[in-house]
Amino acid sequence: DSPNYPLLAAGFKREKILTYAPGMTNISISYNLRSTKAQITATIYRYKKKEGAGSNLSTQFKAEKKQIERLHPGAKLLAEDSVTLVKNGHNYPALKVSYRFIEAFMNRRQEIYSELLLWRYEDNYIKLRSTCPFAQKKTAGRKNIELLNTVNWAN
């Protein structure tokens, strides 16, 4: 078990932890919440910030959005926002975007709500990507923050 990314966190069950990139510097941690009220898949990614021009949060956020739109060509942008995450007494400005699209989820083709949050911690970008049935979007937004408050991404 990982003290930073526990097996159970905010109602989610950790599915796997992957490390990759040269030197195993990048990590992804996938969590699933499966209950009668919510079915949410969330993955937290931590990866090194690239040096040089265009390596700011806004530029990376645009790249992340383009990746979502490329992988889900019919995705409809719902909202973009700035939020503040708090961890260990420190504030972290984050950018948030949400999309709606049709995709297979939980063995059924359905309308999906997808959310991305992106922020910086030290020399890393951290992002949370979550997916759930569209009708559960409010629950997903709340549970995503609960998950981020429970795990220790600032380690």
Side-chain angles (χ1 to χ4, degrees), residues 92-104:
Y92 298 90
L95 298 174
K96 177 180 172 181
V97 65
S98 57
Y99 290 92
R100 175 185 210 160
F101 50 85
I102 304 291
E103 186 170 276

Side-chain angles (χ1 to χ4, degrees), residues 11-71:
F12 287 84
K13 180 182 175 198
R14 190 186 74 214
E15 296 299 324
K16 60 185 165 184
I17 298 177
L18 297 174
T19 55
Y20 47 96
M24 307 303 259
T25 56
N26 297 352
I27 185 170
S28 68
I29 307 94
S30 60
Y31 281 92
N32 287 321
L33 187 152
R34 301 290 186 256
S35 72
T36 56
K37 295 182 181 181
Q39 298 82 45
I40 305 166
T41 295
T43 304
I44 300 166
Y45 301 87
R46 181 177 172 153
Y47 54 98
K48 289 288 181 194
K49 178 182 161 295
K50 293 179 180 145
E51 297 301 321
S55 63
N56 63 44
L57 185 64
S58 178
T59 302
Q60 185 62 32
F61 188 61
K62 287 176 187 170
E64 296 289 348
K65 290 189 321 182
K66 279 185 182 180
Q67 182 181 19
I68 292 169
E69 292 163 3
R70 184 177 50 78
L71 293 172

